[in-house]
Amino acid sequence: MIELRDVAYTYGRGELFAGINLTLAPGSFHFLTGPSGAGKTTFLKLCYGELISTHGTVSLFGKDVRDMTRDDVALSRRRIGVVHQDCQFLDHLPVSENVALPLTASGRHAEIEPNLSDLLGWVGLSGQAAQRPPQLSGGERQRAALARAVITSPDVIIADEPTGNIDWEMSQRLLTLLVELNRMGKAVMVATHDLNLIRAAKAQVQARVLRLKDRQLQAAGADL
Ligand SMILES: Nc1ncnc2c1ncn2[C@@H]1O[C@H](COP(=O)(O)OP(=O)(O)O)[C@@H](O)[C@H]1O
Ligand SMILES: [Mg+2]
C-alpha cells in the first residue's frame, strides 16, 4: 500500500537518511524507533505524502507521489489515518465534532451518525463527547486523536509518538486499540522511543521493529 524505494531526504543541510526501502503491506505492524532528531517524524511524513523524497520513490497505493497532483495526494491521504506528534484540536468545538471533522471536511456527513458514537465508545470517550479539547487529559487527547484518525476507516494508520506524554496504563490502552485496528487488517506504523511499549506490543502482535540510526533504517535487534 505504501512503498519506499531507495529513499533519501534532506532539508538542505546533508541527508537525514538515505537508501531506505520499505513496504507497508496490509495487516503489517511496524514500530519506528531512533534517537530524537534521527528523522522519525520526517520519515512518517514521506509515508503519508506530506513531504516528497529528495531521492528515490515513494508510492501510495500504487502511484508514485512525484507523479501525483495535489488532489491525488489528498485522495490517497483519505486512506491513511495520521495521529500527529502534537495532536491539535479545534478548541472551540466539542470532542465529538473534532473527531468527526475528517468526515465533515470531506462532505461525508451521512457517515458521521452511524460511526461516531461507536468510535467514541471504543476509545472510551463516550462521557467526554460534549467536552472541549482543553478539558481532556493527555491520554484522553491521544485517544481522541486516534478516533479522529480512524473515523474515515483508513487502510493505514500512522502514529507519531502517540504515547509521548501519557502514563503507562493509558499507553497500554492506546496500544490495545492499535492492535485491534491491525487485527482488522489495517497496516499500522508507530514511531516511538518507548521500548516498554514495543515489548508489550510484541506479546500481542507480530511487529517489525525498525530503527533510524546513522542515516540508515535498520532492523532493531532481537534484544527488544
Ligand atoms: N521543516 C524543517 N526544516 C528544517 N529542518 C527540519 C525540519 N523539520 C525537522 N528538521 C530537522 O530534521 C531532523 C529530524 O527531525 P525529525 O524528523 O522531527 O526527527 P525525530 O522525529 O526523529 O525527532 C532534526 O534535526 C530537525 O531539526
Ligand atoms: Mg518526531
Side-chain angles (χ1 to χ4, degrees), residues 9 11-13 16-17 34-43 45 51 85 160-161 191 212:
Y9 193 80
Y11 284 105
R13 280 182 299 144
L16 259 183
F17 42 73
S36 182
K40 299 182 294 298
T41 297
T42 303
F43 181 84
K45 285 180 176 170
L51 291 175
Q85 192 162 3
D160 196 356
E161 315 251 7
L212 262 182

Side-chain angles (χ1 to χ4, degrees), residues 52-191:
I52 295 183
S53 63
T54 47
H55 182 90
T57 56
V58 177
S59 313
L60 304 185
F61 309 103
K63 266 193 185 168
D64 186 338
V65 175
R66 222 178 288 277
D67 300 333
M68 289 163 84
T69 63
R70 284 172 75 98
D71 284 351
D72 290 336
V73 174
L75 279 174
S76 293
R77 287 284 298 278
R78 288 192 194 171
R79 300 174 64 184
I80 307 173
V82 181
V83 182
H84 295 275
Q85 192 162 3
D86 53 342
C87 41
Q88 306 251 3
F89 297 97
L90 298 176
D91 287 345
H92 62 286
L93 294 179
V95 170
S96 56
E97 284 183 42
N98 269 284
V99 169
L101 212 58
L103 290 179
T104 318
S106 51
R108 293 161 66 179
H109 301 278
E111 292 170 57
I112 296 174
E113 222 272 314
N115 289 307
L116 185 59
S117 67
D118 276 359
L119 189 54
L120 287 172
W122 178 69
V123 295
L125 291 177
S126 299
Q128 285 84 353
Q131 288 182 6
R132 311 282 146 169
Q135 293 171 274
L136 300 181
S137 71
E140 288 168 344
R141 285 178 78 84
Q142 293 289 1
R143 282 181 282 136
L146 180 63
R148 181 179 58 185
V150 302
I151 196 163
T152 53
S153 298
D155 300 316
V156 184
I157 321 291
I158 291 179
D160 196 356
E161 315 251 7
T163 61
N165 295 308
I166 61 182
D167 63 39
W168 176 240
E169 198 190 317
M170 280 298 168
S171 298
Q172 288 213 296
R173 244 176 114 170
L174 204 84
L175 175 66
T176 305
L177 297 174
L178 289 166
V179 169
E180 278 180 36
L181 288 164
N182 180 246
R183 293 209 171 119
M184 290 160 61
K186 298 175 192 299
V188 176
M189 171 88 153
V190 182

